[in-house]
Amino acid sequence: MNERPLDLDLVRAFVHVAELSSFTRAAEALGGTQAGVSLKLRKLEERLGRTLLERTPRLVRLTGDGALFLERARRLLAAEREARLWDARPTRRLRLGISDHTTGDTLPGLLRRLAAVSPDIVFDIRMGFSRALLDAFDAGALDAVVVRREGDRRAGELVRQDRYGWFAAADWRGEGAPLPLALLAAPCGVRALAVAALDSAGIAWREAFTGGSVSSVCAAVVAGLAVAPLAAHLAPVGSVDMGPALGLPALPAARVMLIARAGDAPAKAALRELAAFLRTG
């Protein structure tokens, strides 16, 4: 039996690859290179004498041994953090603005990830419309924002492009005009874009539901109340893009941007994790 202790850097690299399903994303989150992460994984597998990951050009997934080791690895890293920070108190605060249209129901997973990798940071989260969040960032009220790129606002780090469509329940059978819509309240950018597209195409519409969050709009879709302009990855399970069938105008893809001002090393590490998570969404 090999009694040498495990190198926690190797274990940390494995957990990142397993949770992000990507060597590239793991390297980004860890602030290293893909080659460096791959080398760490090979060393860990050699140390354990087990194959933890199946690697193909387009897919990374856990083997049976990898799935068993993942929970052990998480507990090991949690114990290491607890031992290292046993008398510490969170002293850093990261004020983060997130557009609801960029995360929706994936927000709990994002927060879980940030809390796991940055336990010494207090996350102050503000949800809102992209335009309002950018204004708050400009005013110094936020340290970083995740927003849809709107108009000529400044460039940031492009983390994803979201495809949009007109989603409704699979059994929705809307007939006649005007088209019932489920929308967020103004000044939502997606609302403005969708309404402008319909008006330009000469398609009559009516507001059948107004929600305060993407989750509430999705609920209206599931309930069969209306059609909603939504990012495809946030559309409710079982819903269908009705755009082609109804002859609705195509909606442009949205660029999801991470915009941040310089921070200390822990804040930068948390933002790397945030960007990596968003790229997997």
Side-chain angles (χ1 to χ4, degrees), residues 58 61 68 81 89 99 113 153 197 200 218 231 239 251 279:
R58 300 186 63 180
R61 63 185 180 188
L68 291 174
R81 284 194 296 269
R89 294 291 183 270
S99 167
R113 180 71 187 158
R153 300 301 286 258
S200 294
C218 288
S239 64
L251 295 172
R279 285 195 170 96

Side-chain angles (χ1 to χ4, degrees), residues 223-259:
L225 301 184
V227 177
L230 292 167
H233 76 104
L234 297 181
V237 174
S239 64
V240 177
D241 184 354
M242 294 290 188
L246 297 177
L248 302 179
L251 295 172
R255 290 174 290 177
V256 177
M257 312 297 293
L258 171 60
I259 303 172

Side-chain angles (χ1 to χ4, degrees), residues 131-147:
R131 190 180 312 166
L133 294 176
L134 282 167
D135 288 342
F137 178 84
D138 289 341
L142 294 172
D143 302 310
V145 291
V146 177
V147 294

